[in-house]
Amino acid sequence: MKVIINHHLQVLSVDNENKIKLLNINEYGNYILFDNNNFFVSGRECFFCCRSGEVIVSTRQDYFPITTGFCGEEQIYFSLNGGFLSSNTSSIFIQPFCGDWEKFYLLDEKKLQIIRNCFAKGCYIQGSNVYLPPEEIIQNKNGIKFGKYNIKIENIIKSIKTESNRIIFFRDNLGIIIIKPFNPLVYLTCFGGSDIISSAEESIYSLFHFGDFIGEVLIITDNENISFSEKLLPFMGRIHFQKSNAYDFFDFTLSRYMISNISEMINYSPIMYMDCDIIINSNINEVFHDSMKIDKILFSEEYRLSESSPWFGGEHWKEVGKDYKLMQSGINSGIFVFNSIDAAKEILISVVQSMINSQKTKHSRSKIILETLDQPNLNYVLMAHFPSCFDTEKLTSYVFHGSGGCFSDIPTLGFAHFNGGLGNFESRLELMRNYVKYIENKN
């Protein structure tokens, strides 16, 4: 579907009284969509009409119908009894002649979403890996200025959206510019009882409150209704849910890798997976920027390895006759970051297939059988098949694994992973809650 924009890059939308109004390209609204044949608003077919001098849309072709004509590639005009629909920066009206301002342009709705994300959170220029914050992306009378690059309206219309959610703009001087929107997402998988939901609440709260996270959160869960406490109310507009069923712990563990079939994932870059036993203890936005600058998945080391370890894929190496010394470090599966779903899809699918194959070989879905779990399979898949497609240096510097009950010993690197002991606390949830209080009092 396509949106309709005018010469000023304003988008035609509809207000509560069905009147057509103009929105800037970076504003949300009830847009008029076009499929090259019919117009739609809120999923219903609509018609342009004129009533008492006002241009409106109707679900019936009554009143005084406005007709549509094409005047070039991705360009249309609207007319009524010899008059033409025109627009300026403030209003829509009918006038007796046709000029440049009476030409409307058709822009792919997905391109609009990417451009709007750039206005909201900034973007990267591919190649130079330069980050442009929102204030350096300016809409002007000729188009959009991305830093030092001026992109005209014709170039915006003719641009190409790639599978990795990027836009290629063709410029008048034969050059191109590739824009990567900065629209970060953190997703968690929450299956089971109330404790896992409460732990996720502490993780998400710390992400926003201490981590200064500017993106959105997706929770993949089998819970029908999740109720968070008041501490998350300021952030609920940025928290989304994806319903998914899990038969047992094996399915639950698979879910963190089976995300390529979630259509919304294509809208985000970069994307981070985070376990529900992680608390963010300082600003972590730089992690997301690091991910945008490198076409590799970022993982963190849990241990430097001196010998083969089943927990880090050692048994898999033996089975295929590989030398475990090729594994220089043990990679933790509780947190990883990638710049787009397309960049990570092949690795994530390979981990899933390796887990399923291991489960069939071992004839067990039990947690006791290490070889069927995700971390051994992740390590094996990365080392054996994707040795040049991941990076451990960048993320490791932000993560402390094995956090326990002595809070003063936990460095404020960014991520405190509570996969260590409980200390004097009765549960992991109690431990995490008290650590959050500790950070609040410390700050």
Side-chain angles (χ1 to χ4, degrees), residues 369-382:
I369 309 298
L370 286 180
E371 294 89 337
T372 67
L373 298 185
D374 74 304
Q375 188 151 296
N377 284 279
L378 171 65
N379 277 262
Y380 164 67
V381 165
L382 291 175

Side-chain angles (χ1 to χ4, degrees), residues 271-303:
I271 299 170
M272 173 186 288
Y273 169 76
M274 189 173 73
D275 270 351
C276 295
D277 59 354
I278 292 176
I279 296 296
I280 288 79
N281 54 24
S282 65
N283 188 307
I284 45 84
N285 283 314
E286 196 58 36
V287 177
F288 297 95
H289 288 290
D290 286 343
S291 179
M292 293 293 287
K293 298 174 184 177
I294 183 172
D295 285 325
K296 296 182 180 183
I297 302 185
L298 307 188
F299 292 96
S300 63
E301 292 181 1
E302 189 167 352
Y303 293 109

Side-chain angles (χ1 to χ4, degrees), residues 27-44:
E27 293 180 316
Y28 290 84
N30 194 19
Y31 304 125
I32 300 171
L33 301 179
F34 185 51
D35 67 356
N36 284 345
N37 291 299
N38 302 303
F39 300 96
F40 299 89
V41 172
S42 302
R44 299 182 63 186

